[in-house]
């Protein structure tokens, strides 16, 4: 089962450069080992996307410590672990410094929900979490606290980048792609004139339809 | 004949990511079954572009109901059906949330006809249709009513995205590509200074030449 | 010799989409038949870049009339012919609606020479030519008259797009790539603050060095 | 050993177009011959990236003069040589006119350190060096003097482009990629509102962690 996860994660990492979400080695995706409350699989630190292989993905505990002889995990591993520990429904996490989302994170303002695709995917605005330094659980706490007050599966961490969560890693990567798309489109719209958020009733209707009707069931 | 359409549609869907018109699974193309006033073929819902195959394209009626055992069609299928029902000359439809066109759709202002390529393809400005929720025929009606008052084969649906129509699905996809190109170029021009539309006589001359002389005949 | 030209032109057309200069079928490159004062080779009209083949390139006279059984040439063929007739040193021409250059063409202001790469390639600003309709020699005259007063090998035709000229078609395509690059970079710089052109002496020094020292000799 | 360098440099040059750092033939990477205080390997002048081969890379002295029968080296070779002569710890240099970094270089203002990825890689702002003409050691002196007063491994040369340095050529190319990424993201953030640099203590903490903990050791 962990080998399947490694293969899935390796394939999903290829979506990051393909969708323009990362520069050099700067983003990562992880998956909770299904059912586990202590293990995750994540990208190794500082390895080029072209050089990733399923067997190089790192199995580690929620403190970011590898549980077998392995490459060093992403230096964000403990942040991912904190989120899995606090949010039992989360099975996958993506973290990127994608360009337009990071521009909003620098600006420090939520991306307002001004288009139907945002209502579909995020159920409202994409919120901004606190500025936090890497090294303890400050980033993880900031992500969890911000998610607690929004329907959004994406958080802009101030002056840093994006964290997205999903039932599995594919959902998290999709959310990262849609977050960057929203950030770019709303950036372009904002330079044309003032932004007017969609009314709450429309946002609710769109969100519920998309979460329940869209796709294959 | 329907098998040919499935193959053509599958190939045309590859043009959407290739031309930067879609994020993840968010756009779709359909074709009227030639001569039919009740059947269309369209993308299945929520399937990645890489995973599309001709046989996965969904044959359904104008209410968006599959007429054979099939994947669930795009949740926009009934909207496409409404447009085919109301506009007998339309043989293909494309729908995208392409980034710059969607930015104009959020802003809610038509893209003014300020360059010759827009006069060629759209015969004037690209208009904005109403805000409408998915689920009944509100989007389809908005598209049809907006097209009725313009020469343009593209409509920006407010706070949503773009619908384009054509004699066949290839024309519709071409219009979607040219609409995003116009949206991007005019966005960039607008940040340099005020936009001055081309005079109506020049627009007419360009449109008639392009529709009648351009290409192979 | 004409067969060599067809092969070279076919390969050079692939540079247009690769460098982001064209949408769908909207740009073209031509070459003067070496030494000729009446024949050129150019892209056929309305054919997708993927479908170009050397043998589909069209040999025609300077009025844009094919001299053998062939596809219809680009509807810009007579414009290219006019330029070859008036400017005997020109051996290649490229025409695109590349996005940022077209944004400047809509704005109607020359791209000021504010960076060394522009001094190298264009020897100063990239000028704007008149608005002209396709169909007679108005566009060709506008290009020739504008080039006469500038060192630049590129002209922004107002509200239309770019024409570039070179000793051969490869030079013209290079100029089209560098023109779009300049248009994009200077657009981004302009949104940061006022633009200050390089002093004329520096521009001259850079231009002469680049034209005489750069590359393999 | 020089053959290994040629292979590494050839592969690294492919990263320039792949990461959107260059137009046509306009960027170059060099490596100091390990341990040498007089020899470097660099791209030949004016050759397309597709046509580079390891054996075409040019071995030359720090004045930019080839030490064997070879293609003409990049016209920036003597500038690279000057930097290697003055900075013995530098083993690789990249030079590009990447679009957003060049826009900041035209504007003439440092890119402020407003996001964690800049603190990680550059340890603060990315500074601007003087305007200097190619042909003597003015550019090299400008790069060296600017680097002397900053932790940054990248310099924006005014109205020109970027130089980056590293322990080896791969580090220099990575810095060029991260510099363009920073330039683009901060450009987008600046259009959303005023930029507030990170506090010096956070920048120091991030820089020291990234330089010492990130990656595989």
């Amino acid at each position: 089962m962990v080998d399947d996860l490694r293969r899935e994660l390796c394939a999903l990492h290829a979506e990051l450069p393909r969708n323009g979400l990362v520069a050099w080695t700067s983003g990562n995706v992880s998956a909770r080992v299904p059912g586990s409350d202590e293990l995750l699989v994540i990208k190794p630190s500082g390895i080029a996307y072209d050089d990733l292989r399923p067997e190089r993905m790192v199995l580690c505990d929620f403190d970011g410590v590898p549980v077998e002889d392995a490459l060093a995990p992403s230096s964000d591993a403990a942040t991912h672990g904190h989120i899995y520990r606090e949010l039992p429904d989360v099975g996958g996490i993506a973290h990127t410094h994608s360009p337009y989302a990071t521009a909003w994170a620098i600006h420090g303002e939520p991306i307002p929900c001004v288009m139907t695709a945002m209502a579909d995917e995020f159920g409202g605005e994409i919120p901004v979490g606190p500025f936090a330094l890497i090294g303890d659980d400050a980033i993880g706490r900031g992500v969890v606290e911000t998610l607690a007050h929004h329907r959004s599966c994406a958080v802009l961490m101030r002056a840093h980048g994006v964290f997205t969560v999903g039932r599995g890693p594919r959902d998290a990567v999709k959310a990262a792609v849609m977050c960057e798309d929203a950030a770019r489109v709303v950036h372009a719209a904002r330079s044309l004139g003032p932004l007017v958020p969609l009314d709450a009733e429309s946002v609710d209707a769109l969100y519920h339809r998309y979460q329940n009707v869209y796709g294959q069931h």
Side-chain angles (χ1 to χ4, degrees), chain A:
Chain A
M1 188 172 66
V2 170
D3 282 353
D4 287 348
L5 266 191
R6 290 182 200 270
R7 270 190 293 274
E8 184 183 5
L9 272 186
C10 189
L12 285 170
H13 275 93
E15 296 290 344
L16 304 184
R18 186 190 191 192
N19 287 280
L21 304 188
V22 292
W24 213 246
T25 61
S26 71
N28 47 68
V29 186
S30 73
R32 179 197 293 270
V33 173
S36 169
D37 55 5
E38 53 187 21
L39 293 175
L40 61 85
V41 182
I42 195 167
K43 179 178 178 290
S45 183
I47 302 292
Y49 291 103
D50 282 355
D51 295 334
L52 293 180
R53 302 285 177 273
E55 64 273 17
R56 293 190 178 174
M57 297 292 150
V58 186
L59 178 68
C60 56
D61 67 22
F62 284 1
D63 295 323
V65 180
V67 298
E68 58 188 15
D69 190 43
L71 292 172
S74 163
S75 53
D76 298 305
T79 296
H80 289 238
H82 182 91
I83 300 169
Y84 288 124
R85 193 179 283 129
E86 298 296 319
L87 300 175
D89 291 342
V90 168
I93 298 171
H95 171 50
T96 77
H97 303 159
S98 66
Y100 284 97
T102 302
W104 284 94
I106 291 169
H107 181 55
E109 213 176 272
I111 307 175
C113 185
V114 295
M115 63 179 190
T116 59
M118 284 189 70
D120 288 348
E121 178 73 20
F122 302 105
E125 69 178 21
I126 299 177
V128 180
F131 179 74
L133 288 180
I134 194 168
D136 59 13
D137 61 3
I139 296 177
R141 276 187 288 121
V143 171
V144 169
E145 283 160 22
T146 310
L147 287 174
H149 299 91
H150 292 83
R151 222 157 27 185
S152 172
C153 53
V155 182
L156 308 174
M157 289 301 283
R158 189 181 284 258
H160 179 180
V162 184
F163 282 85
T164 60
V165 299
R167 277 163 300 182
R170 187 171 181 81
D171 288 337
V173 170
K174 181 193 178 188
V177 170
M178 299 313 280
C179 178
E180 178 63 8
D181 184 63
R184 182 165 61 139
V185 171
V186 182
H187 187 280
R190 193 178 190 269
S191 82
L192 293 173
L195 297 172
V196 182
L198 300 185
D199 66 282
E201 197 178 351
S202 295
V203 172
D204 286 352
L206 287 162
Y207 183 66
H208 286 114
R209 185 202 67 88
Y210 191 76
Q211 300 299 322
N212 296 301
V213 177
Y214 185 82
Q216 305 296 326
H217 298 280

